[in-house]
Amino acid sequence: MTISRYRRPAFGTLAAAAVLAAGCAGGPASVGERAVTITRTTYGIPHIVAGDLESLAYGVAYAYAQDNVCMAADRVVTARGQRSATFGPKAIGLLGRRYLPNEQIDLFVAAHMDDAFLARQWAATSPDVQALVRGYVAGYNRYLADHAQRLPAACKGQPWVTPMTLRDYYRFTEISAVQAGAAALADAILGAQPPAAKAAQAPAAVNLADAAQALRDIGLLDSPLGSNAWAFGKDVTANGRGMLLGNPHFPWTGPNRFYEMHLTVPGQLDVMGVGIGGSPMVSIGFNKDVAWSHTVSTGKRFTLYELTLAEGDPTSYLVDGKPEKMTSRTVGGRTLWSTRWGPLLVIPRAGLAWSAKTAYALRDANAGNARMTQLTLDFARAKSVDDVHKAHTGLGLPWVNTLAADRHGRALYADVSVVPDVDAAQLERCAPSKPAATLRQAAGLVVLNGARGDCAWRQDKASPVPGLIPIERMPVAVRTDWVHNSNDSFFYTHPGQKFEGVSPMVGDASLTRPRTRAGLTEIPEMLARGKLTLEAIQNQLFQNRNFMASVVVPDLLAACAQAPDADAQAGCAALRGWDRHDNLDSRGAHLFREFWRTARNIPGVWRVPFDASQPVATPNGLQMGDAAVAAKVWESLAGAARLIRGSGIALDAPLGSVQRPDAAVTDQPIALHGGEEFEGVLNNLGRQEPAPLTQAGARIDYGTSYVQTVTFDERGPVAQAILTYGQSTDPASPHATDQLREFSAKRWHGLPFHAEDVARARIGEPLRLVLP
């Protein structure tokens, strides 16, 4: 058996042959033998076939480690709370979606993880889920045993690359579950300490703009995680079957990267798509009957509780007039405090301080969420959108919506995710102090009155998880025309879709994402041209129309005769030549981006303010008739022009010469199309941590990640996709950037699902592993 071409050259032909021999290559199966086969196709996609779920997950972990072993090992270090000892306490690491010093990550892990509790949660899962987890851990460890001396340069010979345990698996899954809650607030939890005696006075008044910015800085407001998903039914498709666009916008670095795979247990499941690193199952994908994708939803994942402290004792709080003592424990030399509601936290810029009279505690609804794997397994086995709907019943999705389409021509939207069961009446009844209450309107932060026992989350017997809203009271729609979501709430699923009785904790009528306005504009335009095909959907997404440019540039250009200085005049000249798209050859797109980055925040900037009766059409235009507003607009344009020129970039440079991958993704100068969230470009690209434009251009490490379009014919799924950053994080792998170049060229590739298609697209020889 020869070395497979998808393998990294460092493995060596003889080493690979030895592994195959050790893995029992070639011959017939022994009685009772369990084995898994990994066949790679174009772009290094593994097609993994096994006789049972444990063997399947074994193969998933092995294949993932072939491409991403160093990143996987790094994630295990994080889960163990050993980043400081391994990489240095002051170095920056990644906790969920927050970049923090390693010493803070380790302290949070030590403080948050309750291993006995997590073990109980996972022990309560189904035998199938437990088999998947056992198989995944064993498969990863098998890879390390086979390749310990031949790892990629990033972790070669490093003592921190060690076998995984079930405890490690539970912990890194927990970090993923709470990354929109406790993990995002890790430094706030670690910083909560009782006030000194002199702090008896009430805290100073809070500036709501500062509060909003504080929450934006930690990713709780205007989170960078987002997505588009469109599902179409038989009324609007050319083939009368369902069609789906999945376009998640996720990080291009770190453990939230997707991994593409095709998983088969004959007679049990046959599913293809992507999973988040560390997952034994497909998260976004399709089978022969149904396709699905996810978008980050507007549901709240936690509540804060405002505590009324006992007189003279800032570590005791009142509940129904009776004092309760906080609990404390020392972790890494730091004392951490907790209450019946959860751990204490402080965010002083948001007015959430621990004074002599008041403190704040966090209750995270996703703590201990071991239910996600069951949901992905049920999705994999689904035969219709009805089955996808039923799979949500267990409340496994931590922070996303689902959109799906099936071969029968029906489309589904469902925001059945983990949300605390607090209805509108309870929000009113349990309102905290006036300053804390304003945080909900200003920044979407829900604070409840912790001095009342009846402000605990509702315990509905219909909910399988006490304290969470059950599926019966969540927004679900099944249609035969279309549904969509771009991270605003369920209110904007479809212009004709109405929902009733849904808690404000799930979402409201606010529309904050320009991409939502873009989708609700572009989908009807696309449908007006005729019945849909996959090609039409792909072309619509990759038109890269800049929605906000269509809204504001006409007024700007109409006023350019009054541009007050040479810089603003030069900006006007460049924007006149821009096509108002974000394609590689779009000249001046980067100038509009830097202009609108600041101009959008000018008070009174809109000619037509937001009108709730016209949420897609408003706000609109620039208020150039107001001298004070116009002066600020010209200042923004001139400042953007100076910034770009100072970076050595022409104002009318094509976007492809400016926008490249971040060095953490690749040092190859691959031109990228797409635009920022605040511009309303559906093909959203940006940075996880904002950085100014430099001579290196706009460096991208976030955005369109796995993009798929799926429909169905008589044989099964017809799917095309691009995993933008490729399968591997090893720079030496041929699959580190191969799909990034395809994305740059807007070349979609067909996904081989049927056995004969896999055989035609195969690269190298299959790898067969026998389980111990």
Side-chain angles (χ1 to χ4, degrees), residues 271-596:
V271 61
M272 191 171 188
V274 291
I276 292 290
S279 171
M281 192 52 57
V282 164
S283 302
I284 293 175
F286 56 91
N287 59 30
K288 71 181 183 65
D289 296 309
V290 63
W292 61 92
S293 193
H294 297 299
T295 62
V296 175
S297 88
T298 55
K300 307 302 181 187
R301 313 305 165 189
F302 63 88
T303 64
L304 300 184
Y305 280 90
E306 185 175 58
L307 308 178
T308 299
L309 303 182
E311 184 71 30
D313 183 1
T315 60
S316 293
Y317 59 103
L318 303 178
V319 179
D320 298 329
K322 298 179 181 178
E324 293 187 12
K325 194 70 177 173
M326 296 177 187
T327 59
S328 66
R329 61 192 180 109
T330 301
V331 177
R334 185 175 308 195
T335 302
L336 301 175
W337 298 86
S338 192
T339 69
R340 67 154 67 181
W341 308 116
L344 273 287
L345 56 72
V346 293
I347 312 176
R349 287 172 59 200
L352 302 173
W354 189 345
S355 72
K357 296 184 177 181
T358 307
Y360 297 88
L362 165 75
R363 184 176 180 190
D364 191 327
N366 271 307
N369 182 359
R371 304 177 300 277
M372 177 68 172
T373 304
Q374 183 65 58
L375 179 139
T376 59
L377 183 57
D378 291 343
F379 275 20
R381 293 167 167 165
K383 296 182 179 180
S384 68
V385 296
D386 294 323
D387 290 342
V388 172
H389 180 199
K390 292 174 186 174
H392 288 85
T393 304
L395 304 180
L397 285 181
W399 24 262
V400 292
N401 304 288
T402 301
L403 289 93
D406 64 25
R407 67 166 42 257
H408 312 293
R410 296 195 299 160
L412 165 78
Y413 166 82
D415 186 357
V416 185
S417 53
V418 169
V419 179
D421 196 351
V422 179
D423 62 15
Q426 186 173 349
L427 286 170
E428 182 72 22
R429 175 172 53 81
C430 292
S433 66
K434 188 172 292 186
T438 61
L439 290 175
R440 181 177 158 212
Q441 183 174 3
L445 197 64
V446 175
V447 186
L448 302 177
N449 185 351
R452 296 179 55 165
D454 64 354
C455 289
W457 301 346
R458 177 180 175 182
Q459 307 285 301
D460 187 338
K461 292 181 179 179
S463 177
V465 184
L468 302 188
I469 301 177
I471 190 172
E472 291 81 5
R473 290 192 279 116
M474 297 292 271
V476 177
V478 177
R479 302 180 64 93
T480 53
D481 49 7
W482 59 274
V483 291
H484 101 125
N485 186 268
S486 290
N487 307 121
D488 279 302
S489 86
F490 57 87
F491 272 80
Y492 300 100
T493 298
H494 182 281
Q497 183 68 44
K498 306 301 179 187
F499 299 95
E500 295 181 355
V502 179
S503 167
M505 294 289 290
V506 183
D508 57 30
S510 61
L511 195 161
T512 63
R513 305 277 187 170
R515 283 184 293 105
T516 299
R517 297 176 68 187
L520 290 173
T521 300
E522 294 190 36
I523 290 173
E525 291 178 1
M526 180 173 59
L527 295 175
R529 295 193 290 269
K531 297 282 189 175
L532 287 185
T533 64
L534 293 190
E535 183 180 15
I537 295 170
Q538 294 167 3
N539 290 341
Q540 192 71 39
L541 177 68
F542 281 171
Q543 277 187 26
N544 290 314
R545 288 166 57 176
N546 192 304
F547 182 81
M548 295 313 298
S550 71
V551 168
V552 303
V553 167
D555 281 356
L556 180 67
L557 295 182
C560 274
Q562 285 77 48
D565 56 46
D567 289 321
Q569 291 164 11
C572 282
L575 291 179
R576 279 195 194 95
W578 178 37
D579 62 8
R580 302 179 199 175
H581 291 67
D582 283 61
N583 290 313
L584 298 184
D585 59 356
S586 295
R587 292 183 174 273
H590 59 300
L591 172 62
F592 176 78
R593 179 178 303 165
E594 298 309 319
F595 158 70
W596 192 239

Side-chain angles (χ1 to χ4, degrees), residues 709-735:
T709 56
V710 186
T711 190
F712 305 89
D713 62 16
E714 294 303 321
R715 299 173 66 222
V718 177
Q720 294 179 305
I722 310 171
L723 181 65
T724 50
Y725 33 69
Q727 288 283 86
S728 180
T729 49
D730 178 9
S733 169
H735 306 305

